């Protein structure tokens, strides 16, 4: 849209507001069902279609409004964000966004609910496959490129989940207690970059509380920072069911309540305006923003357009190939193409896990598994499933057959990874291990003395205690529908691995930077502060399995002639990357900056720029990397501002966070002198990454740490799993969780098929997530099926108010938007 057309649209939206009744305004601020906003036909205001994201378009076939995520229209299943980010090639994100947007247009989708740029605080977070990195620069750059790609085609995006949403177990009720500096430098920074650079049309607020206030009613976040500081002009929508107090939400700057259909919310908005508790001007501003969004999408959908599905499949394959990470290799890879003596073990070979479970689930038109790709190539191999892929239970017969086959094999290719039962949106992992059926089998295979190559399909790091005994490890993450083709091309050397990790892999879960307080209770104390991922491990000297930025190639690269120049407020670094091997390849060059002379506690070094260069065998290519001096600023908690300190910095040219190839000095002058804004106790404690829960945390936070515990009292905000401590809580838990367990058991009993897998994935996700919901979050997200009045009645009953409870149960409110 041109600037003039935008101005027209904004004026048009403002004028239209005056023609709406109060009921119509309120209706426009909520969904009419899970995937649509309300329309006002008498004024020609159409309904918008919003759908997930991020790895393709997930358009639910029954658009009548339910949340059945099992039956989707076919669309390309691109690699998940975990694979995409490991490519370190933002151009892939742009092209992928563009392709997804073409599918959106063909399917009539106005806004894609993506991308997710939350920071991977712990590898235990079940949803990490949907996020990019532990590092805000990588997350922000990929998020920006993706938004640009999608929006270049006239389709909107929803940047999510704003903010500090780093776990799933407590996502509906938890409080992320983060110090101001870590919030700014780590958790908000990717959002800031995307908002400033790519201007997403909408932002989706998170479920959780941030600093005690729910994100959906967090004025400081939604209005102060997002709109005030970053200049965001679009619509803020809730995550699905993230509303708590709708009036507080609108007052804080949260425009659209999704999926809506909560009469309680609608009525409270109407009465707040009528009583003067909410200024109608504030409501009107929200309505105008929604109308502006509707106007932008007057003619976005183009169902006749179609798209080139084959080209999109090809792009998915290309990104999967570029994003795979060769973690280790003793020279066994690439394999000879004749496959002589090759034994393949692991059911994921034929039932590749190519995407994660939850709201991002895509139904692709086809899947190319590694088995398909091997067979297409006419590779000779012996195959033993070895273990069942949808369970972690060992299968002794299968395992014995695999071990038998391994004896005498030249190479054993073991296809392993996580299942959807272990890793999904909606719940977190409880450990970092692979399933017992896979680890025990791997150990037995290694015990035969066979040369074992591990090919991994998992959305996040896993512990590999036997890593030293493996010949090679190729990590595909979750590579999308053509991941099998990418896998084969890499294993047989048709393609050269060039992905690098966008997150650190520790050896043990105990070593992870958030270990002191992750998923422990409702209050999540982010005690590690800015020391997230490599920022922690580098300084603490943690021995890692694989460091941030690590990834091998079938060739090798030298870094030569590193140079630096400052041009105004930009720093431009160049280095010549020489391919010293015999294969064409690509190298991800990383630029970190160190400022250890600062009087403020800092990470050992921080990533400030990166680029990927493609270098033919024997040739060299100049890598040019650039960052702004302002990027070196830290967030000063006294001034509440970014402060760039004068002093001597060091610019490191690196192949990974643990592999620095060259270093050059950089002196900054004419800005601020270095001075710690913290009390001495904080300086002393945080000079090094903390271990455990430091006494200085409240001082770092600048306030007392809330003491709330999940005590089992059943309120609107109690997780159902915690409510089981009371009799009534147990009854409610059984009724609600039982009702969603049944469809899972039914799906699980279906005969083997892709359709069954999809149903199992979805029903399992809902069943596993349910215990972590609260009565309030259920009522807000169920589109009227579980009413707020019922939720309130139950909580009143639990609090010993039977008469008031009865009154709530008896309230009959219409749940359909009646203004439309
Ligand atoms: C997820 C969002 C998603 C929405 C709609 C929520 O549960 O957190 O990421 O966009 O559902 O499916």
């Amino acid at each position: 849209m041109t600037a003039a057309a935008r101005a027209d649209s904004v004026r048009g939206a403002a004028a239209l507001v005056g023609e709406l009744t109060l009921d119509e305004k309120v209706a426009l601020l909520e969904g009419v069902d899970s995937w649509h906003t309300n329309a006002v036909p008498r004024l020609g205001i159409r309904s918008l279609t919003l759908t997930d994201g991020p790895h393709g378009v997930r358009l639910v076939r029954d658009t009548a409004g339910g949340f059945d995520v099992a039956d989707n229209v076919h669309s390309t299943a691109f690699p998940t964000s975990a694979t995409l980010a490991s490519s370190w090639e933002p151009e892939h994100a742009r092209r992928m966004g563009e392709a997804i947007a073409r599918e959106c247009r063909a399917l009539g989708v106005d806004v894609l609910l993506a991308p997710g740029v939350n920071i991977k605080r712990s590898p235990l977070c079940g949803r990490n496959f949907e996020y990019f990195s532990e590092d805000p620069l990588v997350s922000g750059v990929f998020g920006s490129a993706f938004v640009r790609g999608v929006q270049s085609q006239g389709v909107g995006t929803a940047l999510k989940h704003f903010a500090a949403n780093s776990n799933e177990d407590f996502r509906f009720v938890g409080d992320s207690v983060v110090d101001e500096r870590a919030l700014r430098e780590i958790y908000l920074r990717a959002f800031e970059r995307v908002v400033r650079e790519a201007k997403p049309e909408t932002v989706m607020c998170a479920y959780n509380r941030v600093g005690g206030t729910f994100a959906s009613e967090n004025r400081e976040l939604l209005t102060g920072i997002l709109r005030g500081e970053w200049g965001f002009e679009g619509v803020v929508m809730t995550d699905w069911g993230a509303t708590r107090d709708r009036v507080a939400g609108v007052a804080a700057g949260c425009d659209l309540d999704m999926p809506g259909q909560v009469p309680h919310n609608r009525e409270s908005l109407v009465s707040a305006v009528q009583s003067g508790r909410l200024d109608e001007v504030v409501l009107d501003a929200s309505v105008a923003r929604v109308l502006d969004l509707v106007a932008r999408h007057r003619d976005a959908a183009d169902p006749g357009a179609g798209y080139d599905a084959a080209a999109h499949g090809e792009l998915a394959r290309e990104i999967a190939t570029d994003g795979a990470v060769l973690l280790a290799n003793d020279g066994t890879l690439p394999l000879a193409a004749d496959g002589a003596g090759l034994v393949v073990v692991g059911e994921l070979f034929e039932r590749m896990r190519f995407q994660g479970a939850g709201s991002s689930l895509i139904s692709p038109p086809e899947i190319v598994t590694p088995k398909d790709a091997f067979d297409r190539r006419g590779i000779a191999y012996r195959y033993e499933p070895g273990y069942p892929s949808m369970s972690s239970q060992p299968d002794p017969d299968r395992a014995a057959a695999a071990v038998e086959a391994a004896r005498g094999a030249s190479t054993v290719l073991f296809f392993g990874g996580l299942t959807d039962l272990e890793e999904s949106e909606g719940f977190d992992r409880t450990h970092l291990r692979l399933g017992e059926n896979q680890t025990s089998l791997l150990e037995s295979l290694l015990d035969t003395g066979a040369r074992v190559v591990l090919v991994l399909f998992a959305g996040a790091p896993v512990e590999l205690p036997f890593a030293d005994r493996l010949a090679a490890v190729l990590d595909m993450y979750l590579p999308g529908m053509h991941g099998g083709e990418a896998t084969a091309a890499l294993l047989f050397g048709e393609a050269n691995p060039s992905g690098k990790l966008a997150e650190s892999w520790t050896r043990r879960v105990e070593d992870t930077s958030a270990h002191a307080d992750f998923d422990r209770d409702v209050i999540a104390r982010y005690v590690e502060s800015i020391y997230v991922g490599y920022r922690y491990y580098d300084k603490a000297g943690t021995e890692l399995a694989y460091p941030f930025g690590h990834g091998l190639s079938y060739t090798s690269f030298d870094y030569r002639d590193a140079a630096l120049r400052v041009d105004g407020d930009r720093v431009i670094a160049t280095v010549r990357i020489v391919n010293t091997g015999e294969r064409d390849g690509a190298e991800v060059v990383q630029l970190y900056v160190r400022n250890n002379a600062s009087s403020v506690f800092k990470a050992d070094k921080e990533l400030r720029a990166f680029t990927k260069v493609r270098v033919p065998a024997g040739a060299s290519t100049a890598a040019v990397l650039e960052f702004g001096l302002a990027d070196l600023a830290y967030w000063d908690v006294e001034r509440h501002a970014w402060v760039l300190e004068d002093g001597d910095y060091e610019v490191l040219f690196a192949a990974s966070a643990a592999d620095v190839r060259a270093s050059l000095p950089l002196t900054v002058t004419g800005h601020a002198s270095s001075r710690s804004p913290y009390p001495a106790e904080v300086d002393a404690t945080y000079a090094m990454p903390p271990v455990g829960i430091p006494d200085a945390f409240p001082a770092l936070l600048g306030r007392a740490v809330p003491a709330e515990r999940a005590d089992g009292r059943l309120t609107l905000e109690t997780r159902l799993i915690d409510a089981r401590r009371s009799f009534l809580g147990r009854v409610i838990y059984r009724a609600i969780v039982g009702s969603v367990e049944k469809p899972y058991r039914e799906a699980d009993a279906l005969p083997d098929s892709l359709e069954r897998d999809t149903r199992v994935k979805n029903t399992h996700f809902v069943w596993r997530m349910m215990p972590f919901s609260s009565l309030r979050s259920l009522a807000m997200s169920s589109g009227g099926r579980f009413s707020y009045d019922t939720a309130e009645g139950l909580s009143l009953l639990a609090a010993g108010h039977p008469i008031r409870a009865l009154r709530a149960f008896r309230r009959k409110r219409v749940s359909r938007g009646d203004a439309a």
Side-chain angles (χ1 to χ4, degrees), residues 225-310:
I225 296 176
L226 179 64
R227 294 202 166 95
E229 288 181 33
W230 304 346
F232 177 69
E233 290 180 346
V235 166
V236 172
M237 68 176 81
T238 63
D239 197 343
W240 269 223
T243 290
R244 190 195 61 116
D245 177 334
R246 185 63 182 126
V247 176
V250 172
C254 181
D255 307 310
L256 185 60
D257 180 28
M258 290 303 294
Q261 291 313 306
V262 182
H264 165 78
N265 289 346
R266 204 159 53 225
E267 286 176 19
S268 55
L269 270 186
V270 169
S271 69
V273 170
Q274 283 167 344
S275 68
R277 198 157 64 82
L278 179 69
D279 190 341
E280 194 159 356
V281 171
V282 175
L283 186 88
D284 286 355
S286 277
V287 175
R289 288 193 283 261
V290 171
L291 290 175
D292 180 38
L293 184 69
V294 175
R296 281 167 184 261
H297 294 285
R298 241 188 305 254
D299 49 20
D302 190 1
Y307 59 90
D308 186 344

